[in-house]
Amino acid sequence: MTTTSPAPEATLDDATLVGRSRDGDVRAYEQLVLRYQGPMFRLAVRMLADRAEAEDVTQEVFLKAWRTIGRLQDDAAFAGWLYRVTTNRCLNILRARRLPADVDPDTTASPHAATRPEHATEISGQMAALTDALQQLTPEQRACWLLREVHGRSYDEIAEIVGANSTAVRGRIARARAQLAEVMQPWR
């Protein structure tokens, strides 16, 4: 007699994991954290240009999500909700800052250094320049650009995340692209 074991939680969709989490299943929530902590951290570190702050934001977001998951209306909307909470937390931090953050090149260098030192140096320089250029964008432009270009979110999703309409989002992204293209011209 063969018994079938339930499907591993890692293969379950977000809606199922959210439903189980709402019912108090900590392992299901752990799977959601494992699935989304990387993207949320990358968004936060690029928006804030501060690894420690990004780690704090990511932790805060997942703690808040655990405490409030019961209020989520649509289980399948979990990812968009996380992006919205993360983006809003980063925007609040940026608005509270008086001076721009110093950028630590160690946080922006590629973890996969090339075997050729000159190539690794060039890539590191490009990443540092991009991080500096991102800090010159308005926080709203930066959020929209990162959500679109780095995280692959649709214009409608971004609009919902940042609380603007799609036209405003398209405008912010277009201005961000133009400004970044100008600043990054020497690296082409």
Side-chain angles (χ1 to χ4, degrees), residues 155-178:
Y155 291 111
D156 290 336
E157 286 176 307
I158 297 168
E160 186 177 326
I161 290 168
V162 300
N165 63 44
S166 294
T167 304
V169 166
R170 288 177 187 276
R172 289 175 186 169
I173 292 171
R175 286 188 295 280
R177 285 176 178 157

PDB file of all heavy atoms in Angstrom, residues 155-178:
ATOM      1  N   TYR A 155       2.720  48.144 -15.670  1.00  0.00           N
ATOM      2  CA  TYR A 155       2.388  49.527 -15.335  1.00  0.00           C
ATOM      3  C   TYR A 155       1.190  49.573 -14.386  1.00  0.00           C
ATOM      4  O   TYR A 155       1.167  50.378 -13.443  1.00  0.00           O
ATOM      5  CB  TYR A 155       2.086  50.333 -16.603  1.00  0.00           C
ATOM      6  CG  TYR A 155       3.308  50.551 -17.462  1.00  0.00           C
ATOM      7  CD1 TYR A 155       3.432  49.930 -18.702  1.00  0.00           C
ATOM      8  CD2 TYR A 155       4.338  51.382 -17.052  1.00  0.00           C
ATOM      9  CE1 TYR A 155       4.553  50.117 -19.491  1.00  0.00           C
ATOM     10  CE2 TYR A 155       5.467  51.575 -17.831  1.00  0.00           C
ATOM     11  CZ  TYR A 155       5.568  50.944 -19.060  1.00  0.00           C
ATOM     12  OH  TYR A 155       6.687  51.131 -19.830  1.00  0.00           O
ATOM     13  N   ASP A 156       0.197  48.730 -14.611  1.00  0.00           N
ATOM     14  CA  ASP A 156      -0.971  48.706 -13.739  1.00  0.00           C
ATOM     15  C   ASP A 156      -0.610  48.263 -12.329  1.00  0.00           C
ATOM     16  O   ASP A 156      -1.105  48.818 -11.347  1.00  0.00           O
ATOM     17  CB  ASP A 156      -2.060  47.799 -14.313  1.00  0.00           C
ATOM     18  CG  ASP A 156      -2.693  48.386 -15.574  1.00  0.00           C
ATOM     19  OD1 ASP A 156      -2.648  49.627 -15.750  1.00  0.00           O
ATOM     20  OD2 ASP A 156      -3.226  47.603 -16.387  1.00  0.00           O
ATOM     21  N   GLU A 157       0.257  47.254 -12.219  1.00  0.00           N
ATOM     22  CA  GLU A 157       0.702  46.809 -10.891  1.00  0.00           C
ATOM     23  C   GLU A 157       1.459  47.921 -10.177  1.00  0.00           C
ATOM     24  O   GLU A 157       1.247  48.159  -8.984  1.00  0.00           O
ATOM     25  CB  GLU A 157       1.615  45.589 -11.013  1.00  0.00           C
ATOM     26  CG  GLU A 157       0.925  44.301 -11.357  1.00  0.00           C
ATOM     27  CD  GLU A 157       1.914  43.163 -11.548  1.00  0.00           C
ATOM     28  OE1 GLU A 157       2.870  43.312 -12.355  1.00  0.00           O
ATOM     29  OE2 GLU A 157       1.722  42.126 -10.898  1.00  0.00           O
ATOM     30  N   ILE A 158       2.334  48.591 -10.907  1.00  0.00           N
ATOM     31  CA  ILE A 158       3.112  49.678 -10.308  1.00  0.00           C
ATOM     32  C   ILE A 158       2.179  50.788  -9.849  1.00  0.00           C
ATOM     33  O   ILE A 158       2.346  51.343  -8.755  1.00  0.00           O
ATOM     34  CB  ILE A 158       4.173  50.208 -11.297  1.00  0.00           C
ATOM     35  CG1 ILE A 158       5.177  49.107 -11.628  1.00  0.00           C
ATOM     36  CG2 ILE A 158       4.884  51.437 -10.733  1.00  0.00           C
ATOM     37  CD1 ILE A 158       6.084  49.410 -12.803  1.00  0.00           C
ATOM     38  N   ALA A 159       1.204  51.113 -10.675  1.00  0.00           N
ATOM     39  CA  ALA A 159       0.242  52.158 -10.305  1.00  0.00           C
ATOM     40  C   ALA A 159      -0.444  51.814  -8.994  1.00  0.00           C
ATOM     41  O   ALA A 159      -0.595  52.674  -8.116  1.00  0.00           O
ATOM     42  CB  ALA A 159      -0.782  52.348 -11.421  1.00  0.00           C
ATOM     43  N   GLU A 160      -0.835  50.565  -8.853  1.00  0.00           N
ATOM     44  CA  GLU A 160      -1.487  50.141  -7.612  1.00  0.00           C
ATOM     45  C   GLU A 160      -0.511  50.195  -6.433  1.00  0.00           C
ATOM     46  O   GLU A 160      -0.860  50.631  -5.340  1.00  0.00           O
ATOM     47  CB  GLU A 160      -2.037  48.726  -7.770  1.00  0.00           C
ATOM     48  CG  GLU A 160      -2.848  48.273  -6.574  1.00  0.00           C
ATOM     49  CD  GLU A 160      -3.450  46.898  -6.780  1.00  0.00           C
ATOM     50  OE1 GLU A 160      -3.809  46.552  -7.920  1.00  0.00           O
ATOM     51  OE2 GLU A 160      -3.555  46.170  -5.780  1.00  0.00           O
ATOM     52  N   ILE A 161       0.726  49.775  -6.658  1.00  0.00           N
ATOM     53  CA  ILE A 161       1.740  49.746  -5.607  1.00  0.00           C
ATOM     54  C   ILE A 161       2.046  51.144  -5.091  1.00  0.00           C
ATOM     55  O   ILE A 161       2.112  51.374  -3.887  1.00  0.00           O
ATOM     56  CB  ILE A 161       3.024  49.049  -6.105  1.00  0.00           C
ATOM     57  CG1 ILE A 161       2.770  47.551  -6.277  1.00  0.00           C
ATOM     58  CG2 ILE A 161       4.195  49.290  -5.159  1.00  0.00           C
ATOM     59  CD1 ILE A 161       3.869  46.805  -7.026  1.00  0.00           C
ATOM     60  N   VAL A 162       2.228  52.099  -6.016  1.00  0.00           N
ATOM     61  CA  VAL A 162       2.644  53.450  -5.596  1.00  0.00           C
ATOM     62  C   VAL A 162       1.471  54.401  -5.396  1.00  0.00           C
ATOM     63  O   VAL A 162       1.660  55.549  -5.001  1.00  0.00           O
ATOM     64  CB  VAL A 162       3.672  54.080  -6.574  1.00  0.00           C
ATOM     65  CG1 VAL A 162       4.924  53.229  -6.662  1.00  0.00           C
ATOM     66  CG2 VAL A 162       3.071  54.325  -7.942  1.00  0.00           C
ATOM     67  N   GLY A 163       0.263  53.943  -5.683  1.00  0.00           N
ATOM     68  CA  GLY A 163      -0.914  54.778  -5.459  1.00  0.00           C
ATOM     69  C   GLY A 163      -1.051  55.915  -6.459  1.00  0.00           C
ATOM     70  O   GLY A 163      -1.374  57.041  -6.091  1.00  0.00           O
ATOM     71  N   ALA A 164      -0.769  55.624  -7.712  1.00  0.00           N
ATOM     72  CA  ALA A 164      -0.896  56.621  -8.780  1.00  0.00           C
ATOM     73  C   ALA A 164      -1.615  55.950  -9.949  1.00  0.00           C
ATOM     74  O   ALA A 164      -1.848  54.749  -9.936  1.00  0.00           O
ATOM     75  CB  ALA A 164       0.484  57.104  -9.213  1.00  0.00           C
ATOM     76  N   ASN A 165      -1.950  56.745 -10.965  1.00  0.00           N
ATOM     77  CA  ASN A 165      -2.570  56.127 -12.135  1.00  0.00           C
ATOM     78  C   ASN A 165      -1.482  55.685 -13.116  1.00  0.00           C
ATOM     79  O   ASN A 165      -0.328  56.083 -13.011  1.00  0.00           O
ATOM     80  CB  ASN A 165      -3.599  57.066 -12.787  1.00  0.00           C
ATOM     81  CG  ASN A 165      -2.980  58.338 -13.306  1.00  0.00           C
ATOM     82  OD1 ASN A 165      -1.923  58.314 -13.932  1.00  0.00           O
ATOM     83  ND2 ASN A 165      -3.634  59.451 -13.060  1.00  0.00           N
ATOM     84  N   SER A 166      -1.860  54.862 -14.088  1.00  0.00           N
ATOM     85  CA  SER A 166      -0.895  54.307 -15.039  1.00  0.00           C
ATOM     86  C   SER A 166      -0.191  55.386 -15.856  1.00  0.00           C
ATOM     87  O   SER A 166       0.989  55.261 -16.181  1.00  0.00           O
ATOM     88  CB  SER A 166      -1.584  53.322 -15.990  1.00  0.00           C
ATOM     89  OG  SER A 166      -2.019  52.202 -15.279  1.00  0.00           O
ATOM     90  N   THR A 167      -0.905  56.453 -16.179  1.00  0.00           N
ATOM     91  CA  THR A 167      -0.304  57.539 -16.951  1.00  0.00           C
ATOM     92  C   THR A 167       0.826  58.199 -16.156  1.00  0.00           C
ATOM     93  O   THR A 167       1.904  58.468 -16.699  1.00  0.00           O
ATOM     94  CB  THR A 167      -1.374  58.584 -17.326  1.00  0.00           C
ATOM     95  OG1 THR A 167      -2.428  57.913 -18.028  1.00  0.00           O
ATOM     96  CG2 THR A 167      -0.792  59.679 -18.186  1.00  0.00           C
ATOM     97  N   ALA A 168       0.579  58.442 -14.883  1.00  0.00           N
ATOM     98  CA  ALA A 168       1.616  59.034 -14.035  1.00  0.00           C
ATOM     99  C   ALA A 168       2.817  58.104 -13.920  1.00  0.00           C
ATOM    100  O   ALA A 168       3.972  58.545 -13.978  1.00  0.00           O
ATOM    101  CB  ALA A 168       1.055  59.353 -12.658  1.00  0.00           C
ATOM    102  N   VAL A 169       2.554  56.817 -13.782  1.00  0.00           N
ATOM    103  CA  VAL A 169       3.629  55.833 -13.686  1.00  0.00           C
ATOM    104  C   VAL A 169       4.450  55.827 -14.967  1.00  0.00           C
ATOM    105  O   VAL A 169       5.685  55.855 -14.932  1.00  0.00           O
ATOM    106  CB  VAL A 169       3.059  54.428 -13.392  1.00  0.00           C
ATOM    107  CG1 VAL A 169       4.095  53.345 -13.615  1.00  0.00           C
ATOM    108  CG2 VAL A 169       2.524  54.369 -11.968  1.00  0.00           C
ATOM    109  N   ARG A 170       3.789  55.815 -16.113  1.00  0.00           N
ATOM    110  CA  ARG A 170       4.515  55.835 -17.394  1.00  0.00           C
ATOM    111  C   ARG A 170       5.378  57.094 -17.512  1.00  0.00           C
ATOM    112  O   ARG A 170       6.516  57.027 -17.986  1.00  0.00           O
ATOM    113  CB  ARG A 170       3.541  55.754 -18.563  1.00  0.00           C
ATOM    114  CG  ARG A 170       2.905  54.394 -18.726  1.00  0.00           C
ATOM    115  CD  ARG A 170       1.872  54.394 -19.875  1.00  0.00           C
ATOM    116  NE  ARG A 170       1.142  53.160 -19.934  1.00  0.00           N
ATOM    117  CZ  ARG A 170       1.554  52.071 -20.541  1.00  0.00           C
ATOM    118  NH1 ARG A 170       2.711  52.069 -21.166  1.00  0.00           N
ATOM    119  NH2 ARG A 170       0.820  50.970 -20.536  1.00  0.00           N
ATOM    120  N   GLY A 171       4.835  58.214 -17.071  1.00  0.00           N
ATOM    121  CA  GLY A 171       5.598  59.462 -17.112  1.00  0.00           C
ATOM    122  C   GLY A 171       6.819  59.415 -16.211  1.00  0.00           C
ATOM    123  O   GLY A 171       7.910  59.847 -16.601  1.00  0.00           O
ATOM    124  N   ARG A 172       6.648  58.900 -15.001  1.00  0.00           N
ATOM    125  CA  ARG A 172       7.774  58.798 -14.065  1.00  0.00           C
ATOM    126  C   ARG A 172       8.857  57.882 -14.624  1.00  0.00           C
ATOM    127  O   ARG A 172      10.054  58.194 -14.531  1.00  0.00           O
ATOM    128  CB  ARG A 172       7.298  58.258 -12.716  1.00  0.00           C
ATOM    129  CG  ARG A 172       6.471  59.244 -11.936  1.00  0.00           C
ATOM    130  CD  ARG A 172       5.922  58.615 -10.672  1.00  0.00           C
ATOM    131  NE  ARG A 172       5.012  59.531  -9.999  1.00  0.00           N
ATOM    132  CZ  ARG A 172       4.233  59.187  -8.996  1.00  0.00           C
ATOM    133  NH1 ARG A 172       4.256  57.959  -8.519  1.00  0.00           N
ATOM    134  NH2 ARG A 172       3.426  60.079  -8.436  1.00  0.00           N
ATOM    135  N   ILE A 173       8.438  56.768 -15.212  1.00  0.00           N
ATOM    136  CA  ILE A 173       9.409  55.827 -15.771  1.00  0.00           C
ATOM    137  C   ILE A 173      10.117  56.451 -16.972  1.00  0.00           C
ATOM    138  O   ILE A 173      11.339  56.325 -17.112  1.00  0.00           O
ATOM    139  CB  ILE A 173       8.735  54.490 -16.130  1.00  0.00           C
ATOM    140  CG1 ILE A 173       8.284  53.776 -14.843  1.00  0.00           C
ATOM    141  CG2 ILE A 173       9.677  53.599 -16.948  1.00  0.00           C
ATOM    142  CD1 ILE A 173       7.415  52.562 -15.074  1.00  0.00           C
ATOM    143  N   ALA A 174       9.388  57.147 -17.815  1.00  0.00           N
ATOM    144  CA  ALA A 174      10.000  57.790 -18.989  1.00  0.00           C
ATOM    145  C   ALA A 174      11.029  58.835 -18.551  1.00  0.00           C
ATOM    146  O   ALA A 174      12.137  58.901 -19.108  1.00  0.00           O
ATOM    147  CB  ALA A 174       8.925  58.428 -19.863  1.00  0.00           C
ATOM    148  N   ARG A 175      10.674  59.655 -17.550  1.00  0.00           N
ATOM    149  CA  ARG A 175      11.625  60.661 -17.058  1.00  0.00           C
ATOM    150  C   ARG A 175      12.836  59.995 -16.416  1.00  0.00           C
ATOM    151  O   ARG A 175      13.978  60.447 -16.600  1.00  0.00           O
ATOM    152  CB  ARG A 175      10.932  61.609 -16.083  1.00  0.00           C
ATOM    153  CG  ARG A 175       9.993  62.597 -16.784  1.00  0.00           C
ATOM    154  CD  ARG A 175       9.450  63.667 -15.842  1.00  0.00           C
ATOM    155  NE  ARG A 175       8.601  63.142 -14.787  1.00  0.00           N
ATOM    156  CZ  ARG A 175       7.317  62.802 -14.934  1.00  0.00           C
ATOM    157  NH1 ARG A 175       6.742  62.939 -16.111  1.00  0.00           N
ATOM    158  NH2 ARG A 175       6.621  62.335 -13.921  1.00  0.00           N
ATOM    159  N   ALA A 176      12.600  58.927 -15.670  1.00  0.00           N
ATOM    160  CA  ALA A 176      13.707  58.208 -15.036  1.00  0.00           C
ATOM    161  C   ALA A 176      14.634  57.604 -16.092  1.00  0.00           C
ATOM    162  O   ALA A 176      15.856  57.716 -15.994  1.00  0.00           O
ATOM    163  CB  ALA A 176      13.168  57.109 -14.117  1.00  0.00           C
ATOM    164  N   ARG A 177      14.046  56.990 -17.125  1.00  0.00           N
ATOM    165  CA  ARG A 177      14.858  56.396 -18.196  1.00  0.00           C
ATOM    166  C   ARG A 177      15.702  57.456 -18.888  1.00  0.00           C
ATOM    167  O   ARG A 177      16.880  57.236 -19.171  1.00  0.00           O
ATOM    168  CB  ARG A 177      13.966  55.701 -19.214  1.00  0.00           C
ATOM    169  CG  ARG A 177      13.406  54.383 -18.748  1.00  0.00           C
ATOM    170  CD  ARG A 177      12.448  53.797 -19.760  1.00  0.00           C
ATOM    171  NE  ARG A 177      11.942  52.493 -19.341  1.00  0.00           N
ATOM    172  CZ  ARG A 177      10.817  51.979 -19.780  1.00  0.00           C
ATOM    173  NH1 ARG A 177      10.070  52.617 -20.674  1.00  0.00           N
ATOM    174  NH2 ARG A 177      10.421  50.800 -19.354  1.00  0.00           N
ATOM    175  N   ALA A 178      15.088  58.589 -19.175  1.00  0.00           N
ATOM    176  CA  ALA A 178      15.822  59.665 -19.858  1.00  0.00           C
ATOM    177  C   ALA A 178      16.966  60.169 -18.993  1.00  0.00           C
ATOM    178  O   ALA A 178      18.091  60.359 -19.489  1.00  0.00           O
ATOM    179  CB  ALA A 178      14.861  60.804 -20.207  1.00  0.00           C
TER     180      ALA A 178
END
